[in-house]
């Protein structure tokens, strides 16, 4: 097994202890615990590397409490990537101490096996509300099932069948073909929001883009990595490199911010190879890709009757800070006919979702997310748009808890309802 921490020692010496990360770290803002802010995490990992710190349960708790929002890295004057260093710490700890049983099961037996994942989703959908919600009241079960301990009142999502990639191997546009892309669905979209995939395929083909949904694609590896399971993540990356390696596609388009940033930035950094770099160069977030492929002029949509729909946007951490995609979703929304776009306060502030973070640290996830609800409320929006299924899930739960009846949808879902004509970019990837 790789010693990832030792392999990336150059990342550790960058912190100059200025403390700028304190003001932006959502976990520190809620806990006021110095060991949980970027500066503290960097110091802890340095001590681990030098053998000065035992790999204790307390250390494990600190390391797993980083949501991976990248706010520290984005504001660090010295270029320290504490989110990455903390992830190296997770890999190091899991390698030395092993994964808890339920994480091993999830990572090795479910996430890496699409058929098992689809069957588990069906089972969870059947039992979810009936079993999970009563368990949150059963205090005796809490020590054994930490993910239900704080879950009282949680919105349990509807899980889909997860078979879209078998149903849509290729989707051809009706008119001339202007481009060809491979679509990465991601587990969240596939199991929770299949309508996002349908909207993406429809929007792309309307623009003359042939959409291939590679049937052998698997989970991007992010959940396994964030649990510390490098072995499974490496295997998933290898399978995706194979599944997404069609040389005849112009781009590999992602619908989920976390999948996009994992495939583009994180896995090539951890598992460097020529194939990983080549795939990284082809990864485009859907919004950024659509911005470069405007709809043909004849498809300009009419403005719907009635007053405009007030829409705000939550910027997923892994899209804005992870992939550097900030303007494209906003421009798409601003140009949608029938929509009045309003920027919420701190639109790029973490919602507290963080994929499995909101399962393992639900209480903290709710505290972090509370500020987001304030921003949404103040915006007086009627719809929240975003571009990450984990954020969608978390925001829906937060709003439901607060009794705020506002739908949270993927940007492309709004586009399906109201076709748009975005401003074209100078250079287009739709070159055919
Ligand atoms: S902002 Fe960067 S350099 Fe400053 S304390 Fe935080 S991690 Fe260290
Ligand atoms: S990634 Fe986010 S949660 Fe983790 S240390 Fe940085 S700012 Fe804090």
């Amino acid at each position: 097994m790789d010693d990832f921490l030792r392999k990336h020692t150059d990342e550790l010496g960058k912190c100059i202890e200025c403390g700028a990360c304190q003001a932006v770290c959502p976990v520190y803002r809620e806990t006021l615990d110095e060991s949980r802010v970027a500066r503290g995490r960097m110091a802890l990992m340095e001590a681990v590397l030098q053998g000065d710190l035992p790999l204790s349960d307390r250390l494990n708790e600190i390391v797993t409490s980083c949501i991976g929002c990248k706010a520290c890295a984005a504001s660090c004057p010295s270029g320290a990537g504490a989110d990455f260093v903390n992830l190296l710490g997770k890999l190091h700890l899991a390698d030395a101490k092993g994964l808890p049983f339920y994480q091993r099961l999830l990572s090795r037996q479910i996430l890496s096996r699409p058929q098992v994942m689809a069957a588990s989703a069906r089972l969870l959908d059947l039992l979810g509300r009936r079993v999970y919600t009563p368990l949150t009241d059963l205090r005796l079960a809490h020590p054994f099932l930490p993910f239900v301990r704080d879950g009282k009142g949680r919105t349990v999502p509807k899980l889909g069948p997860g078979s879209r990639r078998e149903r849509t191997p290729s989707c051809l546009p009706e008119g001339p073909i202007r481009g060809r892309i491979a679509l990465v669905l991601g587990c969240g979209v596939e199991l929770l929001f299949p309508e996002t995939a349908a909207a993406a395929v429809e929007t792309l083909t309307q623009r003359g883009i042939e959409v291939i949904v590679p049937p052998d694609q698997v989970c991007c590896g992010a959940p396994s990595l964030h649990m510390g399971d490098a072995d499974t993540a490496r295997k998933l990356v290898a399978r995706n490199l194979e599944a997404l390696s069609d040389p005849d596609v112009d781009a590999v388009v992602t619908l989920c911010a976390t999948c996009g940033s994992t495939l583009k930035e994180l896995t090539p950094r951890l598992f460097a190879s020529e194939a990983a770099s080549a795939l990284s160069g082809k990864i485009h977030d859907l919004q950024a890709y659509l911005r470069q492929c405007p709809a043909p002029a004849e498809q300009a949509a009419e403005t719907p009757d009635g007053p405009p729909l007030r829409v705000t946007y939550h910027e997923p951490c892994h899209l804005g800070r992870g992939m550097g995609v900030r303007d494209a979703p906003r421009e798409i929304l601003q140009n949608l006919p029938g929509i009045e776009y309003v920027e919420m306060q701190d639109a790029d502030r973490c919602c507290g979702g963080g994929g499995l973070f909101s399962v393992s640290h639900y209480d903290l996830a709710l505290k972090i997310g509370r500020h987001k609800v304030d921003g949404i409320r103040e915006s007086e929006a009627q719809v929240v748009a975003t571009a990450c299924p984990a954020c969608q899930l978390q925001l829906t739960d937060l709003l439901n808890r607060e009794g705020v009846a506002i739908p949270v949808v993927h940007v492309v879902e709004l586009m399906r309802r109201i076709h748009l004509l975005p401003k074209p970019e100078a250079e287009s990837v739709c070159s055919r």
Side-chain angles (χ1 to χ4, degrees):
M1 171 60 68
D2 275 305
D3 186 345
F4 286 99
L5 201 53
R6 209 160 289 282
K7 235 172 148 183
H8 293 273
T9 41
D10 52 321
E11 297 292 332
L12 284 164
K14 290 183 182 168
C15 176
I16 52 168
E17 300 183 5
C18 68
C21 45
Q22 279 190 342
V24 294
C25 175
V27 172
Y28 177 76
R29 280 156 125 179
E30 299 307 326
T31 61
L32 299 180
D33 178 354
E34 172 68 21
S35 62
R36 290 169 202 263
V37 76
R39 179 170 60 183
R41 293 179 188 281
M42 301 284 281
L44 288 175
M45 285 311 117
E46 207 146 359
V48 166
L49 195 64
Q50 283 160 13
D52 293 340
L53 197 64
L55 304 182
S56 62
D57 289 348
R58 160 95 179 127
L59 180 68
N60 191 53
E61 214 301 292
I62 292 170
V63 169
T64 55
S65 72
C66 170
I67 199 166
C69 68
K70 299 176 180 288
C72 50
S75 68
C76 178
S78 155
D83 60 311
F84 184 65
V85 169
N86 191 81
L87 178 66
L88 298 175
K90 282 183 188 170
L91 300 173
H92 188 82
L93 260 106
D95 186 29
K97 303 195 65 136
L99 289 176
F101 169 74
Y102 77 93
Q103 289 191 355
R104 233 176 21 243
L105 180 75
L106 182 61
S107 179
R108 296 184 190 162
Q109 307 302 332
I110 299 177
L111 289 170
S112 52
R113 299 178 183 196
Q115 258 89 20
V116 178
M117 184 151 54
S120 309
R122 276 193 287 271
L123 188 68
L124 273 177
D125 192 48
L126 207 67
L127 301 178
R129 285 170 209 86
R130 271 172 244 166
V131 175
Y132 178 85
T133 308
L135 275 179
T136 61
D137 284 326
L138 193 62
R139 299 182 73 145
L140 271 175
H142 294 179
F144 311 105
L145 300 169
F147 48 92
V148 301
R149 190 176 45 230
D150 306 309
K152 199 166 172 60
R154 184 175 196 146
T155 305
V156 181
K158 171 120 198 76
L159 284 149
S163 60
R164 175 140 195 106
R165 71 188 104 159
E166 282 148 37
R167 291 200 308 268
T168 54
S170 174
C171 310
L172 282 164
E174 277 178 17
I177 296 179
R178 300 163 69 210
R180 189 168 186 258
I181 64 112
L183 191 65
V184 177
L185 299 175
C187 311
V189 165
E190 204 171 355
L191 298 175
L192 293 159
F193 303 106
E195 62 278 10
T196 299
V201 169
E202 199 175 305
T203 308
L204 285 160
T205 49
Q206 272 170 355
R207 286 154 193 252
I209 308 298
E210 183 184 351
V211 180
I212 313 283
V213 185
D216 294 332
Q217 62 179 289
V218 287
C219 170
C220 69
S224 296
L225 278 176
H226 288 283
M227 284 184 250
D229 185 2
D231 231 11
T232 302
R234 192 197 307 272
K235 287 177 190 154
L236 291 169
V237 168
R239 284 164 69 185
N240 275 328
L241 286 176
E242 187 116 334
L244 304 171
S245 66
D246 183 347
D248 207 24
V249 297
D250 307 319
V252 176
V253 173
T254 53
L255 303 174
C256 161
T258 300
C259 296
S261 113
T262 301
L263 293 169
K264 190 164 189 70
E265 182 246 345
L266 188 55
T267 51
R269 204 168 170 193
L270 284 171
F271 312 118
S273 73
E274 249 177 60
S277 306
L279 177 62
S280 166
K282 276 192 159 184
I283 299 283
H284 292 257
D285 162 69
L286 175 69
Q287 281 72 220
Y289 184 80
L290 288 173
R291 191 189 186 207
Q292 298 175 75
C293 296
E298 64 275 13
Q299 283 184 18
E302 286 173 21
T303 304
D305 293 335
L309 193 65
R310 205 170 154 90
V311 176
T312 194
Y313 173 65
H314 160 68
E315 181 180 288
C317 303
H318 290 163
L319 191 61
R321 291 185 283 274
M323 299 182 83
V325 176
R326 291 177 179 269
D327 297 340
R330 290 173 170 88
E331 279 183 20
I332 285 173
L333 293 170
Q334 281 158 3
N335 285 287
L336 274 174
I339 278 183
E340 180 197 350
Y341 178 73
V342 54
E343 179 85 5
M344 74 166 93
Q345 184 77 27
D346 295 329
D348 64 351
R349 186 173 183 156
C350 179
C351 67
L356 292 173
F357 181 86
S358 69
V359 178
S360 60
H361 293 76
Y362 188 49
D363 199 28
L364 189 50
L366 288 179
K367 284 185 189 154
I368 294 170
R370 204 183 50 219
H371 307 282
K372 203 83 221 180
V373 176
D374 295 342
I376 294 169
R377 266 207 181 104
E378 281 158 24
S379 75
E380 296 181 6
Q382 294 160 294
V383 174
V384 181
T386 190
C388 172
C391 299
Q392 220 173 312
L393 211 56
Q394 167 78 348
L395 292 170
T396 302
D397 184 37
L398 290 165
L399 292 168
N400 283 350
R401 276 184 172 273
E402 299 280 327
V404 183
I406 298 178
V408 185
V409 298
H410 195 287
V411 171
V412 77
E413 265 258 60
L414 278 176
M415 295 174 73
R416 183 163 70 154
R417 292 177 203 161
I418 313 165
H419 300 307
L420 82 159
L421 203 60
K423 291 170 194 162
E425 275 284 278
E427 203 178 325
S428 172
V429 294
C430 298
S431 51
R432 296 181 180 201

